Coordinates of all heavy atoms in Angstrom, one line a residue:
M1 N 96.2 -66.9 -5.8 CA 95.5 -66.2 -4.7 C 95.7 -64.7 -4.8 O 96.9 -64.3 -5.0 CB 95.7 -66.8 -3.3 CG 95.3 -68.2 -3.3 SD 95.7 -68.9 -1.6 CE 94.2 -68.8 -0.8
R2 N 94.8 -63.9 -4.4 CA 94.9 -62.5 -4.4 C 96.1 -62.0 -3.6 O 96.8 -61.1 -4.1 CB 93.6 -61.9 -3.9 CG 93.6 -60.4 -4.0 CD 92.2 -59.9 -3.6 NE 92.2 -58.5 -3.7 CZ 91.1 -57.8 -3.4 NH1 90.1 -58.4 -3.0 NH2 91.1 -56.5 -3.5
Q3 N 96.3 -62.6 -2.5 CA 97.3 -62.1 -1.6 C 98.8 -62.2 -2.2 O 99.7 -61.4 -2.1 CB 97.5 -62.7 -0.2 CG 97.7 -64.1 -0.2 CD 96.5 -65.0 -0.3 OE1 95.4 -64.6 -0.8 NE2 96.6 -66.2 0.1
Y4 N 99.0 -63.3 -3.0 CA 100.3 -63.6 -3.7 C 100.4 -62.7 -4.8 O 101.5 -62.2 -5.1 CB 100.4 -65.0 -4.1 CG 100.5 -66.0 -2.9 CD1 99.6 -67.0 -2.9 CD2 101.2 -65.6 -1.8 CE1 99.7 -67.9 -1.8 CE2 101.3 -66.4 -0.7 CZ 100.5 -67.6 -0.8 OH 100.5 -68.4 0.4
R5 N 99.2 -62.2 -5.6 CA 99.4 -61.3 -6.7 C 99.8 -59.9 -6.0 O 100.6 -59.3 -6.5 CB 98.1 -61.1 -7.4 CG 98.0 -60.1 -8.5 CD 96.7 -59.9 -9.2 NE 95.6 -59.8 -8.3 CZ 95.3 -58.6 -7.8 NH1 96.0 -57.6 -7.9 NH2 94.2 -58.6 -7.0
E6 N 99.3 -59.5 -4.9 CA 99.6 -58.3 -4.3 C 101.1 -58.3 -3.9 O 101.7 -57.3 -4.0 CB 98.7 -58.0 -3.0 CG 97.3 -57.6 -3.3 CD 97.2 -56.2 -3.9 OE1 98.0 -55.3 -3.5 OE2 96.4 -56.1 -4.8
A7 N 101.5 -59.4 -3.2 CA 102.9 -59.5 -2.8 C 103.9 -59.5 -4.0 O 105.0 -58.9 -4.0 CB 103.1 -60.9 -2.0
N8 N 103.4 -60.0 -5.1 CA 104.3 -59.8 -6.4 C 104.4 -58.4 -6.7 O 105.5 -57.9 -7.1 CB 103.6 -60.8 -7.4 CG 104.4 -60.6 -8.8 OD1 104.0 -59.8 -9.6 ND2 105.4 -61.4 -8.9
E9 N 103.2 -57.8 -6.8 CA 103.3 -56.4 -7.2 C 104.1 -55.4 -6.3 O 104.8 -54.5 -6.7 CB 101.8 -55.8 -7.3 CG 101.1 -56.3 -8.4 CD 99.7 -55.9 -8.4 OE1 99.3 -55.1 -7.5 OE2 98.8 -56.5 -9.2
E10 N 103.9 -55.8 -5.0 CA 104.5 -54.8 -3.9 C 106.0 -55.1 -3.7 O 106.8 -54.3 -3.4 CB 103.6 -54.9 -2.6 CG 102.4 -54.3 -2.9 CD 101.4 -54.5 -1.7 OE1 101.8 -55.0 -0.7 OE2 100.3 -54.1 -1.8
V11 N 106.5 -56.4 -3.7 CA 107.8 -56.8 -3.3 C 108.5 -57.8 -4.2 O 109.6 -58.1 -4.0 CB 107.9 -57.4 -1.8 CG1 107.5 -56.3 -0.9 CG2 107.1 -58.6 -1.7
G12 N 107.7 -58.1 -5.3 CA 108.4 -59.0 -6.3 C 108.4 -60.5 -5.8 O 109.2 -61.3 -6.4
L13 N 107.5 -60.9 -4.9 CA 107.3 -62.4 -4.6 C 106.9 -63.1 -5.8 O 105.9 -62.7 -6.5 CB 106.4 -62.5 -3.4 CG 106.4 -63.8 -2.8 CD1 107.6 -64.1 -1.9 CD2 105.2 -64.0 -1.8
P14 N 107.6 -64.2 -6.1 CA 107.2 -65.0 -7.3 C 105.9 -65.5 -7.3 O 105.4 -66.0 -6.2 CB 108.3 -66.1 -7.3 CG 109.4 -65.7 -6.5 CD 108.8 -64.8 -5.5
L15 N 105.1 -65.3 -8.4 CA 103.8 -65.9 -8.5 C 103.8 -67.4 -8.7 O 104.8 -67.9 -9.3 CB 103.0 -65.4 -9.6 CG 102.6 -63.9 -9.5 CD1 102.1 -63.4 -10.8 CD2 101.6 -63.7 -8.4
N16 N 102.8 -68.1 -8.1 CA 102.8 -69.6 -8.3 C 104.1 -70.3 -7.9 O 104.4 -71.3 -8.6 CB 102.5 -69.9 -9.6 CG 101.2 -69.3 -10.2 OD1 100.2 -69.3 -9.4 ND2 101.1 -68.7 -11.4
S17 N 104.8 -69.9 -6.9 CA 106.0 -70.6 -6.4 C 105.6 -71.8 -5.6 O 104.7 -71.7 -4.7 CB 106.8 -69.5 -5.5 OG 107.8 -70.3 -4.9
P18 N 106.3 -72.9 -5.9 CA 106.1 -74.1 -5.1 C 106.6 -74.1 -3.7 O 106.5 -74.9 -2.9 CB 106.8 -75.2 -6.0 CG 107.9 -74.4 -6.7 CD 107.3 -73.1 -6.9
D19 N 107.3 -72.9 -3.4 CA 108.0 -72.6 -2.1 C 107.2 -71.9 -1.1 O 107.8 -71.5 0.0 CB 109.4 -72.0 -2.3 CG 110.3 -73.0 -3.1 OD1 110.4 -74.0 -2.9 OD2 110.7 -72.4 -4.3
I20 N 105.9 -71.4 -1.5 CA 105.1 -70.7 -0.6 C 103.8 -71.3 -0.3 O 103.1 -71.8 -1.2 CB 104.9 -69.3 -1.3 CG1 106.1 -68.6 -1.6 CG2 104.0 -68.4 -0.3 CD1 106.0 -67.4 -2.6
F21 N 103.5 -71.5 1.1 CA 102.3 -72.1 1.5 C 101.5 -71.3 2.4 O 102.1 -70.8 3.3 CB 102.7 -73.5 2.2 CG 103.4 -74.4 1.3 CD1 104.9 -74.4 1.3 CD2 102.8 -75.3 0.4 CE1 105.6 -75.2 0.4 CE2 103.5 -76.1 -0.3 CZ 104.8 -76.1 -0.4
T22 N 100.3 -71.1 2.2 CA 99.4 -70.4 3.1 C 99.1 -71.2 4.3 O 98.7 -72.4 4.2 CB 98.1 -70.0 2.3 OG1 98.3 -69.3 1.2 CG2 97.1 -69.3 3.3
V23 N 99.2 -70.7 5.5 CA 99.0 -71.3 6.8 C 97.8 -70.9 7.3 O 96.9 -71.7 7.9 CB 100.1 -71.1 7.8 CG1 99.9 -71.5 9.1 CG2 101.5 -71.5 7.3
A24 N 97.4 -69.6 7.2 CA 96.2 -69.0 7.9 C 95.8 -67.7 7.2 O 96.7 -66.9 6.8 CB 96.4 -68.9 9.3
V25 N 94.6 -67.4 7.2 CA 94.0 -66.0 6.8 C 93.4 -65.6 8.0 O 92.5 -66.1 8.6 CB 93.0 -66.3 5.7 CG1 92.4 -64.8 5.4 CG2 93.6 -66.9 4.4
L26 N 93.9 -64.4 8.5 CA 93.5 -63.8 9.7 C 92.3 -62.9 9.6 O 91.9 -62.6 8.5 CB 94.7 -63.2 10.5 CG 95.9 -64.0 10.7 CD1 97.1 -63.1 11.3 CD2 95.7 -65.2 11.4
E27 N 91.8 -62.5 10.7 CA 90.7 -61.6 10.7 C 91.0 -60.2 10.0 O 92.2 -59.7 10.4 CB 90.0 -61.3 12.1 CG 89.4 -62.5 12.8 CD 88.0 -62.8 12.1 OE1 87.3 -61.9 11.7 OE2 87.8 -64.0 12.0
P28 N 90.2 -59.7 9.3 CA 90.5 -58.3 8.7 C 90.6 -57.3 9.7 O 90.0 -57.3 10.8 CB 89.3 -58.0 7.7 CG 88.7 -59.3 7.5 CD 89.0 -60.2 8.7
A29 N 91.5 -56.2 9.4 CA 91.6 -55.1 10.3 C 91.7 -53.9 9.5 O 92.0 -53.9 8.2 CB 92.9 -55.3 11.1
I30 N 91.4 -52.7 10.1 CA 91.5 -51.4 9.5 C 92.9 -50.8 9.7 O 93.3 -50.7 10.9 CB 90.3 -50.5 9.9 CG1 89.0 -51.2 9.4 CG2 90.5 -49.1 9.3 CD1 87.9 -50.4 10.0
S31 N 93.6 -50.5 8.6 CA 95.0 -50.0 8.8 C 94.9 -48.4 9.3 O 93.8 -47.8 9.3 CB 95.7 -50.0 7.5 OG 95.2 -48.9 6.5
L32 N 96.1 -47.9 9.5 CA 96.2 -46.5 9.9 C 95.6 -45.5 8.9 O 95.2 -44.5 9.1 CB 97.6 -46.1 10.2 CG 98.2 -46.8 11.4 CD1 99.7 -46.4 11.4 CD2 97.6 -46.2 12.7
Y33 N 95.6 -46.1 7.6 CA 95.1 -45.3 6.4 C 93.7 -45.6 6.1 O 93.2 -45.3 4.9 CB 96.1 -45.6 5.3 CG 97.4 -45.2 5.5 CD1 98.3 -46.2 5.9 CD2 97.8 -43.9 5.6 CE1 99.8 -45.9 6.2 CE2 99.1 -43.6 6.0 CZ 100.1 -44.5 6.2 OH 101.4 -44.2 6.5
K34 N 93.0 -46.3 7.0 CA 91.6 -46.5 6.8 C 91.3 -47.5 5.7 O 90.3 -47.4 5.0 CB 90.8 -45.2 6.6 CG 90.9 -44.3 7.7 CD 90.3 -44.6 9.1 CE 90.5 -43.4 10.1 NZ 91.4 -43.6 11.0
I35 N 92.2 -48.5 5.5 CA 92.1 -49.4 4.5 C 91.9 -50.8 5.2 O 92.6 -51.1 6.1 CB 93.3 -49.6 3.6 CG1 93.5 -48.2 2.7 CG2 93.3 -50.7 2.6 CD1 94.8 -48.1 2.1
V36 N 90.9 -51.6 4.6 CA 90.8 -52.9 5.3 C 91.8 -53.9 4.8 O 92.1 -53.9 3.5 CB 89.4 -53.6 4.9 CG1 89.2 -55.0 5.4 CG2 88.2 -52.7 5.4
V37 N 92.6 -54.4 5.7 CA 93.7 -55.4 5.4 C 93.3 -56.7 5.9 O 93.0 -56.9 7.2 CB 95.0 -54.8 6.0 CG1 96.1 -55.7 5.9 CG2 95.3 -53.4 5.6
T38 N 93.6 -57.7 5.3 CA 93.4 -59.1 5.7 C 94.7 -59.8 5.7 O 95.4 -60.1 4.7 CB 92.4 -59.9 4.7 OG1 91.3 -59.2 4.6 CG2 92.2 -61.4 5.2
P39 N 95.2 -60.0 7.0 CA 96.6 -60.6 7.1 C 96.6 -62.0 6.6 O 95.7 -62.7 7.0 CB 96.9 -60.4 8.6 CG 96.0 -59.4 9.1 CD 94.8 -59.5 8.2
V40 N 97.6 -62.5 5.9 CA 97.7 -63.8 5.4 C 99.2 -64.4 6.1 O 100.2 -63.7 5.8 CB 97.7 -64.0 3.9 CG1 97.9 -65.4 3.5 CG2 96.4 -63.4 3.5
V41 N 99.1 -65.5 6.7 CA 100.3 -66.0 7.2 C 100.7 -67.1 6.2 O 100.0 -68.1 6.0 CB 100.1 -66.6 8.5 CG1 101.3 -67.2 9.2 CG2 99.6 -65.6 9.6
S42 N 101.9 -67.0 5.8 CA 102.4 -68.1 4.9 C 103.8 -68.5 5.3 O 104.5 -67.8 6.0 CB 102.7 -67.5 3.4 OG 101.3 -67.0 3.0
I43 N 104.1 -69.7 4.8 CA 105.5 -70.3 5.1 C 106.3 -70.2 3.8 O 105.8 -70.7 2.7 CB 105.4 -71.6 5.7 CG1 104.7 -71.7 7.2 CG2 106.8 -72.4 5.7 CD1 104.7 -73.0 7.7
L44 N 107.5 -69.8 3.9 CA 108.3 -69.8 2.8 C 109.4 -70.9 3.0 O 110.2 -70.9 3.9 CB 109.1 -68.5 2.6 CG 110.0 -68.2 1.5 CD1 109.2 -68.3 0.1 CD2 110.6 -66.8 1.7
T45 N 109.4 -72.0 2.1 CA 110.3 -73.1 2.4 C 111.7 -72.9 1.6 O 112.6 -73.7 2.0 CB 109.7 -74.4 1.9 OG1 109.4 -74.2 0.5 CG2 108.5 -74.7 2.6
R46 N 111.9 -71.8 1.0 CA 113.1 -71.4 0.3 C 113.5 -70.1 0.8 O 113.3 -69.0 0.1 CB 113.2 -71.6 -1.1 CG 114.5 -71.5 -1.8 CD 114.6 -71.8 -3.2 NE 113.7 -71.2 -4.1 CZ 114.0 -70.2 -4.9 NH1 115.1 -69.7 -4.9 NH2 113.0 -69.7 -5.7
P47 N 114.2 -70.0 2.0 CA 114.5 -68.6 2.5 C 115.3 -67.8 1.6 O 115.3 -66.5 1.7 CB 115.3 -68.9 3.8 CG 114.8 -70.3 4.2 CD 114.5 -71.0 2.9
S48 N 116.0 -68.3 0.7 CA 116.9 -67.5 -0.3 C 116.0 -66.6 -1.1 O 116.5 -65.6 -1.6 CB 117.7 -68.3 -1.2 OG 116.9 -69.2 -2.0
L49 N 114.7 -66.9 -1.2 CA 113.7 -66.0 -1.9 C 113.8 -64.6 -1.3 O 113.4 -63.6 -2.0 CB 112.3 -66.5 -2.1 CG 112.1 -67.6 -3.1 CD1 110.6 -68.2 -2.9 CD2 112.3 -67.1 -4.5
L50 N 113.8 -64.5 0.0 CA 113.8 -63.2 0.6 C 114.8 -62.2 0.1 O 114.6 -61.1 0.1 CB 114.0 -63.4 2.2 CG 113.0 -64.2 2.9 CD1 113.4 -64.4 4.4 CD2 111.7 -63.4 2.8
K51 N 116.0 -62.8 -0.2 CA 117.1 -61.9 -0.9 C 116.8 -61.3 -2.1 O 117.4 -60.4 -2.5 CB 118.4 -62.7 -0.9 CG 118.8 -63.1 0.4 CD 120.2 -64.0 0.3 CE 120.6 -64.5 1.6 NZ 121.7 -65.4 1.5
E52 N 115.8 -62.0 -2.8 CA 115.4 -61.5 -4.1 C 114.3 -60.4 -4.1 O 113.9 -59.8 -5.2 CB 114.9 -62.7 -5.0 CG 115.9 -63.7 -5.2 CD 115.4 -65.0 -5.8 OE1 114.2 -65.0 -6.4 OE2 116.1 -66.0 -5.7
L53 N 113.6 -60.2 -2.9 CA 112.6 -59.2 -2.8 C 113.1 -57.9 -2.9 O 114.2 -57.5 -2.4 CB 111.8 -59.4 -1.5 CG 111.2 -60.8 -1.3 CD1 110.5 -60.8 0.1 CD2 110.4 -61.2 -2.4
K54 N 112.2 -57.0 -3.6 CA 112.6 -55.6 -3.7 C 111.3 -54.8 -3.5 O 110.3 -55.0 -4.3 CB 113.2 -55.3 -5.0 CG 113.6 -53.8 -5.2 CD 114.3 -53.5 -6.5 CE 114.8 -52.2 -6.7 NZ 114.0 -51.1 -6.1
A55 N 111.3 -53.8 -2.6 CA 110.1 -53.0 -2.2 C 109.8 -52.1 -3.4 O 110.7 -51.4 -3.9 CB 110.4 -52.2 -0.9
E56 N 108.6 -52.1 -3.8 CA 108.0 -51.1 -4.7 C 107.8 -49.8 -3.9 O 106.9 -49.8 -3.1 CB 106.7 -51.7 -5.4 CG 106.0 -50.7 -6.3 CD 106.8 -50.2 -7.4 OE1 107.4 -51.1 -8.1 OE2 106.8 -49.0 -7.7
E57 N 108.6 -48.9 -4.2 CA 108.6 -47.6 -3.4 C 107.3 -47.0 -3.2 O 107.0 -46.4 -2.1 CB 109.7 -46.7 -3.9 CG 111.1 -47.2 -3.6 CD 112.2 -46.3 -4.1 OE1 112.0 -45.1 -4.3 OE2 113.4 -46.7 -4.3
S58 N 106.5 -47.0 -4.2 CA 105.2 -46.3 -4.3 C 104.2 -47.1 -3.3 O 103.2 -46.5 -2.9 CB 104.7 -46.2 -5.6 OG 104.3 -47.4 -6.2
E59 N 104.5 -48.2 -2.9 CA 103.6 -49.1 -2.0 C 104.2 -49.6 -0.8 O 103.4 -49.9 0.2 CB 103.1 -50.2 -2.9 CG 102.3 -49.9 -4.1 CD 101.3 -50.9 -4.6 OE1 100.8 -51.6 -3.8 OE2 101.2 -51.0 -5.8
V60 N 105.4 -49.8 -0.7 CA 106.0 -50.4 0.5 C 107.2 -49.7 1.0 O 108.1 -49.3 0.3 CB 106.6 -51.9 0.1 CG1 107.2 -52.5 1.2 CG2 105.5 -52.7 -0.4
F61 N 107.2 -49.3 2.3 CA 108.2 -48.4 2.9 C 109.5 -49.2 3.0 O 110.5 -48.7 2.7 CB 107.7 -47.9 4.1 CG 108.7 -47.0 4.9 CD1 109.1 -45.8 4.4 CD2 109.5 -47.5 6.0 CE1 110.0 -45.0 5.0 CE2 110.4 -46.7 6.6 CZ 110.6 -45.4 6.2
C62 N 109.4 -50.4 3.7 CA 110.4 -51.3 3.8 C 110.0 -52.7 3.9 O 109.0 -53.0 4.2 CB 111.3 -50.9 5.0 SG 110.4 -51.1 6.6
I63 N 111.1 -53.6 3.7 CA 110.8 -55.0 3.9 C 111.6 -55.4 5.1 O 112.8 -55.0 5.4 CB 111.4 -55.9 2.7 CG1 110.6 -55.5 1.4 CG2 111.3 -57.5 3.0 CD1 111.1 -56.1 0.3
F64 N 111.0 -56.1 6.1 CA 111.8 -56.5 7.3 C 111.4 -58.0 7.7 O 110.4 -58.5 7.2 CB 111.4 -55.5 8.5 CG 109.8 -55.6 8.8 CD1 109.4 -56.4 9.8 CD2 109.0 -54.7 8.0 CE1 107.9 -56.5 10.0 CE2 107.6 -54.7 8.4 CZ 107.1 -55.6 9.3
T65 N 112.1 -58.4 8.7 CA 111.8 -59.8 9.3 C 111.6 -59.6 10.8 O 111.9 -58.5 11.3 CB 113.0 -60.8 9.1 OG1 114.2 -60.1 9.8 CG2 113.3 -60.8 7.6
H66 N 110.9 -60.4 11.4 CA 110.5 -60.3 12.7 C 110.4 -61.8 13.2 O 109.7 -62.6 12.5 CB 109.2 -59.7 12.9 CG 108.9 -59.3 14.2 ND1 109.6 -58.5 15.0 CD2 107.8 -59.5 15.1 CE1 109.1 -58.2 16.3 NE2 107.9 -58.9 16.3
P67 N 110.9 -62.1 14.4 CA 110.8 -63.4 14.9 C 109.4 -64.0 15.1 O 108.6 -63.3 15.6 CB 111.6 -63.4 16.2 CG 112.4 -62.2 16.1 CD 111.6 -61.2 15.3
L68 N 109.2 -65.2 14.6 CA 107.9 -65.8 14.7 C 107.5 -65.9 16.1 O 106.3 -65.7 16.5 CB 107.8 -67.1 14.0 CG 106.4 -67.9 14.1 CD1 105.3 -67.0 13.5 CD2 106.7 -69.2 13.3
Q69 N 108.4 -66.2 16.9 CA 108.2 -66.5 18.5 C 107.6 -65.1 19.0 O 106.8 -65.1 19.8 CB 109.5 -66.7 19.2 CG 110.1 -68.0 18.8 CD 111.0 -67.9 17.6 OE1 111.0 -66.9 16.9 NE2 111.8 -69.0 17.4
A70 N 108.1 -64.0 18.5 CA 107.5 -62.6 19.1 C 106.1 -62.4 18.6 O 105.3 -61.7 19.3 CB 108.5 -61.5 18.6
V71 N 105.7 -63.0 17.5 CA 104.2 -62.8 17.1 C 103.4 -63.8 18.0 O 102.3 -63.4 18.3 CB 104.1 -63.2 15.5 CG1 102.8 -63.2 15.1 CG2 105.0 -62.3 14.7
L72 N 103.9 -65.1 18.2 CA 103.2 -66.0 18.9 C 103.1 -65.6 20.4 O 102.1 -66.0 21.1 CB 103.8 -67.4 18.8 CG 103.9 -67.9 17.4 CD1 104.5 -69.2 17.2 CD2 102.4 -68.1 16.9
D73 N 104.2 -65.0 20.9 CA 104.2 -64.6 22.3 C 104.5 -63.1 22.4 O 105.6 -62.7 22.4 CB 105.3 -65.3 23.0 CG 105.3 -65.1 24.5 OD1 104.6 -64.1 25.0 OD2 106.2 -65.6 25.3
P74 N 103.4 -62.3 22.5 CA 103.5 -60.8 22.5 C 104.4 -60.3 23.5 O 105.0 -59.2 23.4 CB 102.1 -60.3 22.7 CG 101.2 -61.4 22.3 CD 102.0 -62.7 22.5
A75 N 104.7 -61.1 24.6 CA 105.6 -60.4 25.7 C 107.1 -60.4 25.2 O 107.8 -59.6 25.4 CB 105.6 -61.4 26.9
L76 N 107.4 -61.3 24.1 CA 108.7 -61.1 23.4 C 108.9 -59.9 22.6 O 109.9 -59.5 22.3 CB 109.0 -62.4 22.6 CG 109.1 -63.6 23.4 CD1 109.2 -64.9 22.4 CD2 110.2 -63.7 24.4
A77 N 107.7 -59.4 22.2 CA 107.8 -58.2 21.3 C 108.4 -57.0 22.0 O 109.0 -56.1 21.4 CB 106.4 -57.8 20.7
I78 N 108.4 -56.9 23.3 CA 109.1 -55.9 24.1 C 110.5 -55.9 23.8 O 111.1 -54.9 23.7 CB 108.8 -56.0 25.6 CG1 107.2 -55.8 25.8 CG2 109.6 -55.0 26.4 CD1 106.7 -56.3 27.2
S79 N 111.1 -57.1 23.8 CA 112.6 -57.2 23.5 C 113.0 -57.3 22.0 O 114.1 -57.1 21.6 CB 113.2 -58.3 24.2 OG 112.7 -59.5 23.8
E80 N 111.9 -57.5 21.2 CA 112.2 -57.7 19.8 C 111.3 -56.7 18.8 O 110.6 -57.1 18.0 CB 111.9 -59.1 19.3 CG 112.6 -60.2 19.9 CD 114.0 -60.2 19.2 OE1 114.3 -59.8 18.2 OE2 115.0 -61.0 20.0
Q81 N 111.3 -55.4 19.3 CA 110.6 -54.4 18.6 C 110.9 -54.3 17.2 O 112.1 -54.4 16.8 CB 110.6 -53.1 19.3 CG 110.1 -53.1 20.8 CD 110.2 -51.7 21.4 OE1 110.5 -50.7 20.7 NE2 110.0 -51.7 22.7
L82 N 109.9 -54.0 16.4 CA 110.1 -53.7 14.9 C 110.9 -52.4 14.8 O 111.8 -52.4 14.0 CB 108.9 -53.8 14.1 CG 108.2 -55.1 14.1 CD1 106.8 -55.0 13.3 CD2 109.0 -56.1 13.3
V83 N 110.4 -51.4 15.5 CA 111.0 -50.1 15.4 C 111.0 -49.5 16.8 O 110.1 -49.9 17.7 CB 110.3 -49.1 14.4 CG1 110.3 -49.6 13.0 CG2 108.8 -48.9 14.9
D84 N 111.9 -48.6 17.1 CA 111.8 -47.8 18.4 C 110.6 -47.1 18.6 O 110.3 -46.2 17.7 CB 113.1 -47.1 18.6 CG 114.4 -48.0 18.6 OD1 114.3 -49.1 19.2 OD2 115.5 -47.6 18.2
I85 N 110.0 -47.2 19.7 CA 108.9 -46.2 19.9 C 109.3 -44.8 19.9 O 110.2 -44.4 20.4 CB 108.1 -46.6 21.4 CG1 107.7 -48.0 21.4 CG2 107.1 -45.6 21.7 CD1 107.3 -48.6 22.8
G86 N 108.4 -44.1 19.0 CA 108.8 -42.6 18.9 C 109.7 -42.3 17.8 O 109.9 -41.1 17.5
S87 N 110.3 -43.3 17.2 CA 111.3 -43.0 16.2 C 110.6 -42.6 14.8 O 109.3 -42.7 14.8 CB 112.2 -44.2 15.8 OG 111.3 -45.3 15.2
E88 N 111.2 -42.2 13.9 CA 110.6 -41.7 12.6 C 109.8 -42.8 11.9 O 108.9 -42.5 11.3 CB 111.6 -41.1 11.7 CG 112.6 -42.2 11.0 CD 113.6 -41.6 10.1 OE1 113.1 -41.2 9.0 OE2 114.7 -41.5 10.3
N89 N 110.1 -44.0 12.3 CA 109.5 -45.1 11.6 C 108.3 -45.7 12.5 O 107.5 -46.6 12.1 CB 110.3 -46.3 11.4 CG 111.4 -46.0 10.2 OD1 111.1 -45.2 9.4 ND2 112.5 -46.6 10.3
W90 N 108.1 -45.1 13.7 CA 106.9 -45.4 14.5 C 105.7 -44.9 13.9 O 105.6 -43.7 13.8 CB 107.2 -44.8 16.0 CG 106.2 -45.3 17.0 CD1 105.2 -44.4 17.6 CD2 105.9 -46.5 17.6 NE1 104.4 -45.1 18.4 CE2 104.9 -46.5 18.4 CE3 106.5 -47.8 17.3 CZ2 104.3 -47.6 19.2 CZ3 106.0 -48.9 18.1 CH2 104.9 -48.8 18.9
P91 N 104.6 -45.7 13.7 CA 103.5 -45.2 12.9 C 102.5 -44.6 13.7 O 101.5 -44.1 13.2 CB 103.0 -46.6 12.2 CG 103.4 -47.7 13.2 CD 104.7 -47.2 13.7
Y92 N 102.5 -44.6 15.0 CA 101.4 -44.2 15.8 C 101.7 -42.8 16.5 O 102.8 -42.6 16.9 CB 101.2 -45.2 17.0 CG 101.0 -46.5 16.4 CD1 101.9 -47.5 16.6 CD2 99.8 -46.9 15.8 CE1 101.6 -48.7 16.0 CE2 99.5 -48.2 15.2 CZ 100.5 -49.2 15.4 OH 100.3 -50.4 14.8
E93 N 100.7 -42.0 16.8 CA 100.9 -40.7 17.3 C 101.0 -40.9 18.8 O 101.6 -40.0 19.6 CB 99.7 -39.7 16.9 CG 99.7 -39.4 15.5 CD 98.5 -38.6 15.1 OE1 97.8 -38.0 16.1 OE2 98.1 -38.5 13.9
V94 N 100.4 -42.0 19.4 CA 100.5 -42.2 20.9 C 100.9 -43.6 21.1 O 100.8 -44.6 20.1 CB 99.1 -42.1 21.5 CG1 98.6 -40.5 21.4 CG2 98.0 -42.9 20.9
E95 N 101.4 -43.9 22.2 CA 101.8 -45.2 22.6 C 100.5 -46.1 22.8 O 99.7 -45.7 23.5 CB 102.7 -45.2 23.8 CG 103.4 -46.6 24.0 CD 104.3 -46.6 25.2 OE1 105.0 -45.5 25.3 OE2 104.4 -47.6 25.9
L96 N 100.5 -47.3 22.2 CA 99.3 -48.1 22.1 C 99.3 -49.3 23.2 O 98.4 -50.0 23.3 CB 98.8 -48.5 20.9 CG 98.6 -47.4 19.7 CD1 98.3 -48.0 18.5 CD2 97.3 -46.6 20.3
H97 N 100.4 -49.4 23.8 CA 100.5 -50.7 24.7 C 101.3 -50.2 26.0 O 101.8 -49.1 26.1 CB 101.2 -51.8 24.0 CG 102.5 -51.5 23.5 ND1 103.7 -51.5 24.2 CD2 102.9 -51.2 22.2 CE1 104.6 -51.3 23.4 NE2 104.3 -51.0 22.2

């Protein structure tokens, strides 16, 4: 699938891994850079693969984890923020929530 090829190029996720399963393909969205992005939710059954990932610097700023519970319940995102609002890694010019 295309998303796994992209993930391989961007972070070294192994192609055709028996440990990666697609759960859902979400609605496309337009990124801050005006690129259409289609989020894909996958399950990784061998978490040790995460330690093998390496960000391709020309395409990926960083690799991070985020609790699934905070994705499922946005109220939890307040206490489990990916980055501090207004920090150098905050991608927005204004607060959006």
Side-chain angles (χ1 to χ4, degrees):
M1 295 177 100
R2 183 177 183 181
Q3 68 269 18
Y4 296 131
R5 180 182 48 80
E6 287 291 325
N8 175 264
E9 292 173 5
E10 294 173 0
V11 297
L13 190 70
L15 289 173
N16 303 316
S17 173
D19 301 303
I20 304 168
F21 300 91
T22 299
V23 175
V25 177
L26 306 179
E27 290 292 321
I30 298 177
S31 76
L32 293 173
Y33 302 103
K34 309 290 189 255
I35 297 170
V36 176
V37 177
T38 303
V40 176
V41 178
S42 298
I43 291 178
L44 182 63
T45 58
R46 188 165 58 97
S48 63
L49 281 175
L50 293 174
K51 295 176 185 173
E52 300 172 17
L53 302 182
K54 183 177 183 324
E56 174 59 45
E57 292 180 17
S58 65
E59 298 204 35
V60 177
F61 179 72
C62 68
I63 297 171
F64 61 89
T65 61
H66 191 60
L68 178 60
Q69 294 87 345
V71 174
L72 298 174
D73 181 359
L76 293 176
I78 294 169
S79 63
E80 297 285 345
Q81 293 180 16
L82 294 175
V83 298
D84 293 327
I85 295 173
S87 71
E88 69 177 292
N89 294 327
W90 182 250
Y92 306 106
E93 293 179 19
V94 296
E95 188 171 330
L96 299 175
H97 55 85

